Amino acid sequence: MTTERSGGDQGEARPPGPLREHLTSATTRAALRVRQGIMAAAREYLTARDFAELQAPIIGPVTDPGVRGAKQVDIDYYGQRYKLMSSAILYKQASLLTFDRIFCLAPNIRLEPPETASTGRHLVEFHQIDVEVAGASREDAMELAQALVQHVIRTVITTMAAELEALGRDTGAFTETLAGPFDRITHAEATEGLAALGHGQSRDSEITWAGERVLSLKASRPFLVVDYPKGSRGFYDRESRTRPGVLRNFDLIAPEGYGELCSGSERESEYATLVTRMRETGENPAKYGWYLDLAREGIRPSAGFGLGLERLTRYVTGLAHVWQTTAYPKLAGVISP
């Protein structure tokens, strides 16, 4: 198997061939070594800062409703309709009743629409480095996400030079990434910038995958998009108390066309507001009984994020397709073991 490169020009997605070919590929071997290094570096960084590592549940009565066009997976759990987790967000908030700072390497399942197979950065089965901090602000979460990404990259380019060389990844591409704080733009500014480039983008919704890639291709280092409009994200993203209609959230976008690496926010924690926001977003509060019971009794204000492990590995390795960063890739619409 030849190495396919460049997140900025991934071309048509090529699903993995026979499993033996994929598993014995030198590209796969090097990419999985780097992925292992990323996980080890993330654990090292977070554990040294007094984060407790938890194992997120794989099934539950509800999961994150904000899956952006993907479908959730239902299972029969002893006669009850349960979900496979598409995100650990609700359980991260609950876990702060035990620890002040938590993280987990959480598995996620989302039945993505078939067209995502050609984006180079979507999988049906993927993992996130999920982080949550009690009492934190959005700014705290953004600074932590940036510091974590920079630490991981520094560690990998120092300790895994041979693997990166084998993959043809020029470590000079990270010079600007490691050079200080990431830039920030608002969702409104991103929308205006896309309009100036001839790319239509609604002011009231998430930036499209195509629009995100346009912005990513123009960047030479990661940057943060903040202040998404209310209604574009899930009920758990806290609305600004001073700027109604604006959410206290963010996305971390990689350069070179690699796109979104991470999403995060301050979390809504007030019971009455959560119920209202659920209804506003078309969710039935009755489905979230266990979560709302905790909120009624009091869950802690917090902020956090989910950092895509496969997406981060793809950016660090410089590979064209996110499926190249996992041993058993699951692409939308592609039947695989």
Side-chain angles (χ1 to χ4, degrees), residues 247-277:
L247 298 176
R248 296 278 296 164
N249 60 3
F250 69 93
D251 279 350
L252 174 60
I253 312 295
E256 303 178 70
Y258 288 99
E260 179 199 325
L261 296 178
C262 169
S263 288
S265 72
E266 288 178 20
R267 314 303 190 188
E268 184 54 65
S269 59
E270 296 179 1
Y271 171 79
T273 305
L274 281 168
V275 172
T276 299
R277 289 287 305 282

Side-chain angles (χ1 to χ4, degrees), residues 296-331:
R296 186 185 293 109
E297 296 176 13
I299 54 177
R300 304 172 74 181
S302 67
F305 56 84
L307 175 61
L309 175 60
E310 288 84 2
R311 288 185 179 184
L312 179 57
T313 304
R314 177 182 173 229
Y315 170 50
V316 173
T317 56
L319 290 169
H321 304 297
V322 72
W323 64 258
Q324 294 173 285
T325 71
T326 182
Y328 303 99
K330 302 291 191 301
L331 275 167

Side-chain angles (χ1 to χ4, degrees), residues 179-201:
F182 299 156
D183 293 333
R184 301 179 187 182
I185 61 172
T186 65
H187 178 275
E189 290 170 337
T191 300
E192 291 170 5
L194 286 169
L197 294 168
H199 183 90
Q201 170 64 51

